[in-house]
Amino acid sequence: MPRVRPAHTRKRSMDEHEQPTTYDVHAVQSKWRAVWDELEPFRAGSAAPGPDGQPAEKRYALTMFPYPSGDLHMGHAEVTALHDVIARYWWQKGYDVLNPMGWDSFGLPAENAAFRNDEHPATYTYANIATQLDSFRNYAISFDWSRRFNTSDPEYYRWTQWLFLKFRERGLAYRKNSPVNWCPHDQTVLANEQVVDGRCERCGAEVTKRELTQWYFKITDYAQELLDGLDELEATWPARVVTAQRNWIGRSEGAHVTFEIAGHDPVTVFTTRPDTLYGATFMVVAADAPLAASLVTDEQRPALEAYLDEVRKASDIDRLATDRPKSGVPLGVTATNPVNGEQLPVWASDYVLADYGTGAIMAVPAHDQRDLDFAKAFDLPVRMVVDTGEDDPAATYVATTGDGTYVNSGPLDGLRDKAAGIRTIIERLEADGSGTGTVNFRLRDWLLSRQRYWGCPIPIVHCEKDGEVAVPEDQLPVLLPELRGADLKPQGVSPLAAATDWVEVECPTCGGPATRDSDTMDTFVDSSWYFLRYCSPQYTDGPFDVEAVRQWMPADIYVGGVEHAVLHLLYARFFTKVLRDMGMLDFSEPFAAQLNQGQVINEGKKMSKSLGNGVQLGSQLEEFGVDAVRLTLVFAGPPEDDIDWADVSPGGSLRFLQRAWRLSGDVTSEPGVDVGTGDVALRRVTARTVHDADELLASFRFNVVVARVMELVNATRKAIDSGCGPADPAVREAVEAVAVLLSLVAPYTAEEMWSRLGHEPTVARAGWPSVDPALLVTESVTAVVQVKGKVKARLEVSPDVSAADLEALALTDEAVVRAIEGQQVRRVIVREPNLVNIVV
RNA sequence: GCCCCUGUGUCCCAACCGGCAGAGGAAGUCGCCUUAAAAGCGAUCAGUUGCGGGUUCGAGUCCCGCCGGGGGCACCA
């Protein structure tokens, strides 16, 4: 394994008093890690009061906690390196920072590993946590480890269960029987969000449907609020997360319209275009909805059943193809159009979804392509009711969806305004009780039952006499039974169901025989409130101490992967709003700002075992050291961009760090020297760098900050070698600034520099360098003189030069005079103090 | 199909409110150091800002169209 060479002396002089030119990365790492373990510089609550005696302002730096699968990898390294720049910056700025970390430690991989190795899932889980904890410490992220916990700890999941029961008391957790996504490989149900392109997000197996009774959270009650809340997050959350959530919630405005059906209950449809009601020529209900079975005539029943068999055979992947031909069967009944009394044939088809809207639609083939395709397939009538000026859809089979003049539409005829048309029809429907304006959401309730072992047990007991009974609070947590190895094999029901001793209990209400609910919760439940627990991780009287949460929340920044744009982030927002309604929180959004990091890739491709292009974090750390790897990740580009490891240079990062470190050995002035007497040119560079870094950090432009620090290092090197010399106080000021700025990214190097500059540890809490505003004002600027937009001259002028003076200076400049010679000056644009443009 | 983001030296990337296209790094080239090479140190090279049009005294930046790359939604009525 290649190692950084040990420190050696300069070749050009064998004098042993010469400064060494490199430091031993690994020796420095073990040295400072021990010092930090002693000092614990990052305890939340340890910031000094401000000069006015007031306690320091709080900052909560949150990063998505990991699942403990093996050791840390490049992805962890990147996200925590970026996150740590923010946390350490806040410490330097004097804030009191809460920067906690823990593990999202329930989940499938542990269970699979336990089955393979004939052990308990906890064995795998807690061994990996120990490994990752050690790696994080070595990686020098400024976490406050005193607050760590794991979601699989009974002290934690006790409160997950408690919250479940509170949600249930509020009617927000309920059971229903419905077709659910089923992963045949993992042998468990999946939420809609965990099905991607018809496949299991985790294992890639094709997802099928199953009819099961399952627990749901009623997130749809909060659909409107979850949507509205995005408005205030727009400024501080990545745009793609906000739009992804908006799309996912999928609000649409329209109307419920009720159609009478002779001999049946009336059927209500949802439509966004009630104004096209006169163009409805048939109705379609979802073939797999109970409604279809209840409407169908005896003559048509065999046809419907045959069709349903066909539909069920088609996988979700087939169903996702949007261009496949329309299919369906008539149900043999007709519905009455409430506005004109027309009898519309009712069909069943799989292009109508059972779980969106009411599971039934009115078909307006002239103005909806899907309905038109269906009408074409079964030769149903097409009636245009909005004349857009385009060809009649009945002839072209191209539905028109634009604005136009209403025709064949009774009271709407001749009207051109779509909004007015919609309003008119809704008013009419509401007047005669056959419909109402309404809003519909794409968002479905959150399916949370999982048929797995390694998760949070659902604290419910099923009793024949009393039905669903909540486990009393004083009996929480419902602990997992001890199962291992083959007991965990997926078998279609939760492994818990087979643990007879555990399942069979007395009913808490009547004392009679009862069974525990044997499903466990989706792990997204665990992660929907962990950020609250960090505020008071040892609290025993509730999930969190309300006062501690008031002190720290909301999180000021949440750093993590964009893959959680709609899953975790939506659920966490939902939990926050429910807890607020329970009176436990006084805010509605948990994460004030968000930063999504890109991925680390290699040679243009995602790193994977099958491609054999993986870059091991461990080997990079061994070869280049923690600081160089962190610096490389931060410097590679904007945080949200992907980093191609083939494009970056950890060796270059290490070289830079050594160069920066070397400066600290060259400084010959003493700590505390009066910098006011130092070289002004260098002082200006230092002041400008510190000032700009402040602004750049606030907008997460960490790569530019690093570039600016490199500039400062280069300028300082020059000042030492061929400028004011190593003894000048400005050199000390510059190098101290470099140490503090570098402490955000390269804490070991920064600490070593700080120590060589004669300071006590730790540089991490040294404080942000102060900047004399006078040094930010330049005494002269370069004004550019353009003739017809081309630069002809440069003038050194005072920054507060007047427009008239600058114009006069420009017009008398020799080069300018030459350039405009013989031409008519038509206009002179002056933008003092930077620019003069002469139009000829 | 619809929506969003993006395109700057060989490569990764900077460029405030429209005002000198270049901060930083990598690679290349040339030196210094070395018996030599690597490493290190120093210097240096690098352009029709994807294409076409428009607005403007002036466009990498704003507007329109196209092309390439990335992402979201997609039978959601």
Side-chain angles (χ1 to χ4, degrees):
Chain A
M1 189 59 62
R3 277 191 162 250
V4 170
R5 286 162 316 289
H8 59 276
T9 52
R10 278 188 195 169
K11 295 274 170 53
R12 75 169 78 100
S13 160
M14 297 312 282
D15 183 345
E16 61 183 13
H17 298 298
E18 278 288 330
Q19 295 290 346
T21 59
T22 59
Y23 60 89
D24 184 307
V25 168
H26 294 281
V28 163
Q29 284 178 193
S30 41
K31 168 180 161 191
W32 288 110
R33 187 175 158 178
V35 173
W36 297 330
D37 281 352
E38 181 70 31
L39 293 176
E40 295 191 325
F42 308 114
R43 284 268 189 161
S46 67
D52 52 0
Q54 291 294 309
E57 209 181 306
K58 76 93 184 175
R59 283 287 186 274
Y60 186 173
L62 183 66
T63 184
M64 290 178 186
F65 64 166
Y67 177 82
S69 54
D71 202 351
L72 300 184
H73 52 68
M74 274 294 173
H76 297 118
E78 188 197 4
V79 63
T80 52
L82 294 168
H83 166 86
D84 208 31
V85 174
I86 300 171
R88 286 175 176 270
Y89 169 59
W90 282 341
W91 277 121
Q92 297 289 28
K93 291 290 283 184
Y95 295 111
D96 202 354
V97 183
L98 172 60
N99 183 18
M101 185 48 119
W103 277 270
D104 188 15
S105 52
F106 273 136
L108 219 40
E111 205 166 323
N112 294 338
F115 177 64
R116 264 197 321 272
N117 306 329
D118 191 28
E119 60 183 20
H120 195 280
T123 311
Y124 168 93
T125 303
Y126 286 88
N128 284 346
I129 288 172
T131 305
Q132 293 196 353
L133 173 62
D134 187 64
S135 295
F136 269 134
R137 285 178 176 272
N138 179 54
Y139 197 57
I141 303 296
S142 65
F143 291 128
D144 179 352
W145 288 113
S146 70
R147 291 178 180 252
R148 90 188 149 93
F149 58 78
N150 313 299
T151 58
S152 58
D153 298 343
E155 306 79 54
Y156 182 86
Y157 76 73
R158 166 192 182 154
W159 297 111
T160 305
Q161 293 174 342
W162 184 88
L163 287 165
F164 171 89
L165 294 176
K166 291 294 164 194
F167 275 44
R168 184 168 166 274
E169 282 171 22
R170 302 179 71 83
L172 293 170
Y174 68 97
R175 275 204 323 166
K176 74 172 173 191
N177 185 275
S178 67
V180 294
N181 302 308
W182 179 262
C183 174
H185 176 264
D186 289 342
Q187 293 278 301
T188 187
V189 305
L190 301 169
N192 286 331
E193 294 87 329
Q194 290 165 319
V195 181
V196 176
D197 294 333
R199 293 178 179 279
C200 172
E201 179 190 52
R202 189 177 291 283
C203 70
E206 223 174 272
V207 170
T208 59
K209 293 276 178 186
R210 261 202 186 185
E211 192 87 9
L212 284 174
T213 301
Q214 301 283 297
W215 285 98
Y216 290 82
F217 279 141
K218 210 163 182 211
I219 192 171
T220 51
D221 272 11
Y222 285 79
Q224 186 64 52
E225 216 205 318
L226 287 165
L227 185 65
D228 292 342
L230 294 172
D231 293 342
E232 72 175 80
L233 300 174
E234 201 138 38
T236 50
W237 279 34
R240 55 184 169 161
V241 174
V242 173
T243 43
Q245 292 215 359
R246 285 214 175 99
N247 285 339
W248 192 261
I249 295 167
R251 180 191 149 104
S252 44
E253 286 182 20
H256 279 142
V257 184
T258 302
F259 290 71
E260 300 292 336
I261 295 178
H264 288 279
D265 289 339
V267 172
T268 299
V269 303
F270 173 73
T271 176
T272 55
R273 293 295 303 272
D275 57 320
T276 61
L277 189 45
Y278 284 90
T281 54
F282 55 100
M283 177 186 277
V284 187
V285 300
D288 54 341
L291 182 60
S294 80
L295 288 176
V296 71
T297 59
D298 289 340
E299 297 85 75
Q300 284 301 106
R301 191 174 301 278
L304 175 64
E305 274 162 13
Y307 178 63
L308 271 174
D309 280 346
E310 205 179 296
V311 167
R312 290 204 177 106
K313 260 183 241 149
S315 69
D316 263 29
I317 289 175
D318 295 333
R319 288 192 56 145
L320 278 170
T322 50
D323 51 355
R324 76 202 171 91
K326 292 285 181 284
S327 62
V329 288
L331 293 177
V333 294
T334 59
T336 309
N337 187 333
V339 289
N340 57 13
E342 278 184 9
Q343 292 301 302
L344 308 179
V346 181
W347 288 66
S349 173
D350 65 351
Y351 90 89
V352 171
L353 306 177
D355 57 352
Y356 180 76
T358 63
I361 62 152
M362 64 179 212
V364 184
H367 306 297
D368 184 295
Q369 191 61 47
R370 297 158 299 186
D371 298 345
L372 185 55
D373 292 342
F374 193 84
K376 188 182 177 187
F378 295 103
D379 203 21
L380 294 159
V382 178
R383 184 197 303 148
M384 185 170 84
V385 289
V386 180
D387 184 358
T388 61
E390 295 157 282
D391 292 338
D392 189 343
T396 59
Y397 291 111
V398 177
T400 59
T401 55
D403 290 356
T405 308
Y406 290 103
V407 294
N408 302 321
S409 290
L412 298 185
D413 282 350
L415 191 71
R416 285 198 61 85
D417 182 355
K418 180 166 150 186
I422 291 173
R423 213 162 43 235
T424 306
I425 294 291
I426 289 176
E427 277 164 16
R428 244 189 99 138
L429 293 170
E430 285 177 347
D432 69 8
S434 56
T436 174
T438 188
V439 169
N440 203 50
F441 293 94
R442 206 194 77 114
L443 181 69
R444 313 294 208 275
D445 276 341
W446 171 8
L447 169 63
L448 68 103
S449 313
R450 295 291 181 275
Q451 290 68 47
R452 303 297 307 204
Y453 169 78
W454 191 234
C456 177
I458 293 172
I460 293 289
V461 168
H462 300 282
C463 169
E464 266 184 41
K465 188 164 146 282
D466 298 308
E468 276 172 29
V469 180
V471 172
E473 275 179 38
D474 60 7
Q475 291 175 30
L476 298 181
V478 175
L479 293 168
L480 285 166
E482 292 289 316
L483 298 183
R484 53 169 51 230
D487 301 336
L488 302 169
K489 187 172 185 168
Q491 47 207 345
V493 291
S494 170
L496 292 178
T500 319
D501 292 350
W502 182 85
V503 164
E504 292 175 359
V505 287
E506 280 181 9
C507 169
T509 305
C510 69
T515 55
R516 287 193 190 282
D517 197 297
S518 59
D519 286 347
T520 49
M521 296 185 212
D522 181 3
T523 53
F524 278 115
V525 182
D526 308 326
S527 56
S528 289
W529 70 281
Y530 77 107
F531 46 90
L532 299 168
R533 183 74 181 170
Y534 281 142
C535 299
S536 52
Q538 321 294 342
Y539 197 63
T540 53
D541 296 335
F544 50 84
D545 177 356
V546 171
E547 276 311 309
V549 166
R550 186 167 299 156
Q551 183 193 345
W552 292 109
M553 286 290 293
D556 297 279
I557 186 70
Y558 196 18
V559 186
V562 75
E563 67 272 18
H564 291 114
V566 285
L567 298 151
H568 164 59
L569 289 170
L570 194 67
Y571 294 152
R573 294 180 59 221
F574 165 60
F575 261 60
T576 300
K577 289 168 197 300
V578 175
L579 285 162
R580 177 207 57 199
D581 289 346
M582 286 165 60
M584 297 180 70
L585 302 178
D586 55 7
F587 52 91
S588 298
E589 291 293 341
F591 315 124
Q594 221 203 133
L595 177 64
N596 296 139
Q597 84 283 3
Q599 292 186 319
V600 183
I601 60 174
N602 193 25
E603 290 170 330
K605 294 180 199 72
K606 257 184 105 157
M607 292 195 279
S608 75
K609 270 185 194 143
S610 56
L611 287 169
N613 66 340
V615 178
Q616 294 308 308
L617 175 61
S619 69
Q620 297 295 308
L621 293 175
E622 181 63 31
E623 186 170 356
F624 303 106
V626 167
D627 284 357
V629 169
R630 289 180 54 156
L631 181 74
T632 302
L633 291 164
V634 172
F635 180 53
E640 55 278 359
D641 284 9
D642 285 351
I643 298 171
D644 194 330
W645 203 250
D647 289 337
V648 296
S649 171
S653 297
L654 181 54
R655 275 200 303 278
F656 163 72
L657 291 170
Q658 300 279 13
R659 217 158 48 229
W661 170 87
R662 223 171 286 133
L663 294 176
S664 64
D666 289 345
V667 173
T668 53
S669 58
E670 291 304 310
V673 69
D674 176 18
V675 294
T677 60
D679 180 75
V680 176
L682 181 59
R683 293 203 69 208
R684 283 218 163 90
V685 178
T686 305
R688 179 56 64 187
T689 303
V690 171
H691 172 265
D692 290 357
D694 226 344
E695 285 179 1
L696 290 164
L697 286 161
S699 46
F700 309 140
R701 290 154 73 205
F702 311 135
N703 55 322
V704 187
V705 174
V706 173
R708 299 300 301 275
V709 176
M710 289 173 168
E711 238 179 311
L712 178 56
V713 167
N714 293 344
T716 311
R717 180 81 267 154
K718 251 186 198 124
I720 293 172
D721 290 348
S722 55
C724 58
D728 193 289
V731 168
R732 165 166 287 276
E733 184 185 38
V735 179
E736 288 185 351
V738 169
V740 173
L741 290 168
L742 270 186
S743 76
L744 313 187
V745 185
Y748 290 110
T749 307
E751 204 72 85
E752 194 66 20
M753 288 178 72
W754 199 242
S755 156
R756 296 222 307 167
L757 286 163
H759 294 294
E760 292 296 311
T762 163
V763 68
R765 296 291 299 275
W768 194 251
S770 59
V771 174
D772 179 355
L775 291 168
L776 298 174
V777 181
T778 45
E779 55 192 11
S780 81
V781 294
T782 308
V784 174
V785 186
Q786 300 174 335
V787 177
K788 277 165 64 183
K790 296 266 184 282
V791 180
K792 296 293 175 187
R794 288 162 217 277
L795 308 168
E796 286 301 310
V797 296
S798 150
D800 45 9
V801 67
S802 75
D805 288 354
L806 184 58
E807 181 175 343
L809 272 171
L811 287 170
T812 52
D813 183 89
E814 217 178 289
V816 175
V817 169
R818 241 190 342 267
I820 59 178
E821 201 164 46
Q823 294 171 91
Q824 179 81 33
V825 174
R826 287 179 38 207
R827 213 172 135 193
V828 180
I829 291 113
V830 182
R831 288 280 177 280
E832 74 276 8
N834 294 313
L835 178 127
V836 179
N837 190 11
I838 301 165
V839 187
V840 292

